[in-house]
Amino acid sequence: MRGDGKLRGMEVTLSQQEKGCELRIDMNHYHNDQGFEELTRALAEGMTPVVSYWKSPDMLWLDGPGIGAGPCQQDTTQCGTAAQFYNFAVESL
């Protein structure tokens, strides 16, 4: 947060326990919301985090060496019947 209480940027880290495939993004600029004015307003009004859990054989563009420049080289893991999300936090940096 900036001194005026507005969002200055976002840092997102996604990881799996005991897996070496971590994804990170540090976003301090978004051309459709200069200064994060709209997102700051939406967060102040209250938001509910929503997480989707699914698998597709063509997702390496995101987490593989393609466009997303992710660390995963192949997608061979079988998804379980459920996922657990923990250590979720929204905090000032």
Side-chain angles (χ1 to χ4, degrees), residues 3-71:
D4 60 2
K6 293 183 179 172
L7 187 65
R8 141 180 113 200
M10 292 183 291
E11 180 182 289
V12 177
T13 303
L14 302 174
S15 63
Q16 292 178 305
Q17 187 175 9
E18 299 176 12
K19 302 285 183 183
C21 188
E22 186 174 271
L23 300 175
R24 290 177 181 247
I25 184 170
D26 185 4
M27 185 176 186
N28 57 20
H29 174 78
Y30 182 59
H31 69 276
N32 287 333
D33 186 10
Q34 298 295 320
F36 295 105
E37 300 288 333
E38 291 179 45
L39 186 53
T40 297
R41 237 182 337 272
L43 287 168
E45 291 174 8
M47 298 179 87
T48 300
V50 177
V51 179
S52 179
Y53 176 65
W54 52 279
K55 179 180 176 175
S56 175
D58 60 353
M59 289 303 292
L60 281 177
W61 67 268
L62 177 64
D63 55 7
I67 296 170

